[in-house]
Amino acid sequence: MEPSEPEGEAMLDELKREVFEANRALVDLGLVLLTWGNASAIDRDAGRVVIKPSGVSYDTMKPDDMAVVELDGRPVEGDLKPSVDLPTHLALYEAFLEIGGVVHTHSHYATCFAQARRAIPCFGTTHADYFHGEVPVADPLREPEVVEDYERHIGNVIVRRFRTLDPMRFPGVLAANHASFAWGRTVAKAVENAYVIEEVARMAMHSLQLDPDLRPIPKYLLDKHFLRKHGSGAYY
């Protein structure tokens, strides 16, 4: 049954508050400089997405500033334009039905790996607690994909990268030459996963400096740490 209008408005206001808090958390966690990042969440029952407005300072932003759009990108409410990355977020919501929030940042170490077009190897158990293997990197965009519908094509190449991957076992990706995207069942979880990506990227960078020939964690240890926190047999 559809929620009543006052109930629906209250749910939307709550989602806007959650998205506002997620965007603020990106700054507090050191994942965003200037306006280089955004977070969004989806209300699948209502078919609406709430996202940070484009180019608005995090210092002055308020919950009511959040942009609300339909799943096809049409604006629902708000006087500010949605983030320019909205088409990427929408592509992920359309493809990954389990997710409820998406985060995009240009955090330093994760972006270094993205610019190098290099996946982040899983060298240890910290990484394995969140990703069932390396943080994958999507294919670079071809020139026609950059010239037209650029942001949508970023989402499309990410979705293609996940044809054989479970987005809930790999809750984030590196967009080649660009930066990272993370997601989760909630926008708060997406923020957490974005923070994890940055930290494991930093660990990997320093580990490779100590041992350029370092190999990924053994599969039996990877499986143990990931599956004890995720899946039907989780106990952590």
Side-chain angles (χ1 to χ4, degrees):
M1 180 168 56
E2 291 289 332
S4 65
E5 188 170 337
E7 181 183 352
E9 290 177 358
M11 292 170 63
L12 182 59
D13 286 343
E14 174 61 18
L15 197 62
K16 288 162 69 175
R17 183 191 63 79
E18 291 174 6
V19 171
F20 165 77
E21 291 180 352
N23 278 286
R24 284 294 315 166
L26 297 179
V27 177
D28 294 341
L29 292 170
L31 298 177
V32 165
L33 298 174
L34 302 176
T35 58
W36 302 347
N38 43 72
S40 73
I42 186 170
D43 180 338
R44 292 197 180 272
D45 291 335
R48 291 177 174 176
V49 170
V50 178
I51 192 168
K52 178 186 177 291
S54 178
V56 174
S57 168
Y58 287 85
D59 293 330
T60 61
M61 188 172 60
K62 305 180 297 297
D64 283 343
D65 292 331
M66 300 300 102
V68 184
V69 301
E70 304 281 3
L71 281 175
D72 61 5
R74 287 179 297 166
V76 173
E77 67 170 69
D79 298 327
L80 300 171
K81 292 175 58 178
S83 167
V84 70
D85 295 306
L86 172 64
T88 308
H89 290 240
L90 294 179
L92 299 178
Y93 287 128
E94 290 170 11
F96 305 154
L97 299 182
E98 306 96 328
I99 70 174
V102 173
V103 163
H104 172 50
T105 80
H106 289 251
S107 59
H108 180 87
Y109 287 94
T111 301
C112 289
F113 275 89
Q115 291 179 166
R117 303 183 188 180
R118 180 169 180 175
I120 304 171
C122 182
F123 289 134
T125 59
T126 308
H127 183 136
D129 281 341
Y130 286 86
F131 280 76
H132 200 192
E134 67 184 16
V135 179
V137 59
D139 290 335
L141 294 178
R142 301 185 299 272
E143 184 175 356
E145 294 172 318
V146 173
V147 171
E148 188 171 350
D149 294 330
Y150 170 58
E151 291 81 11
R152 181 70 187 197
H153 284 303
I154 293 173
N156 291 344
V157 297
I158 291 172
V159 172
R160 286 202 301 268
R161 180 66 182 87
F162 277 76
R163 282 175 179 163
T164 59
L165 295 177
D166 180 347
M168 304 313 292
R169 292 194 173 210
F170 298 83
V173 69
L174 306 177
N177 306 120
H178 187 45
S180 67
F181 287 83
W183 46 81
R185 295 194 185 279
T186 65
V187 67
K189 187 63 177 178
V191 171
E192 180 181 346
N193 289 331
Y195 188 64
V196 168
I197 290 173
E198 174 64 5
E199 182 59 19
V200 300
R202 187 168 75 100
M203 290 178 177
M205 186 87 73
H206 293 157
S207 296
L208 287 168
Q209 288 175 342
L210 290 170
D211 182 358
D213 298 320
L214 184 64
R215 304 300 300 166
I217 188 173
K219 187 176 185 305
Y220 61 85
L221 190 53
L222 167 66
D223 288 347
K224 181 65 176 183
H225 266 260
F226 184 84
L227 296 175
R228 72 175 185 162
K229 292 186 70 173
H230 308 274
S232 59
Y235 64 89
Y236 185 91

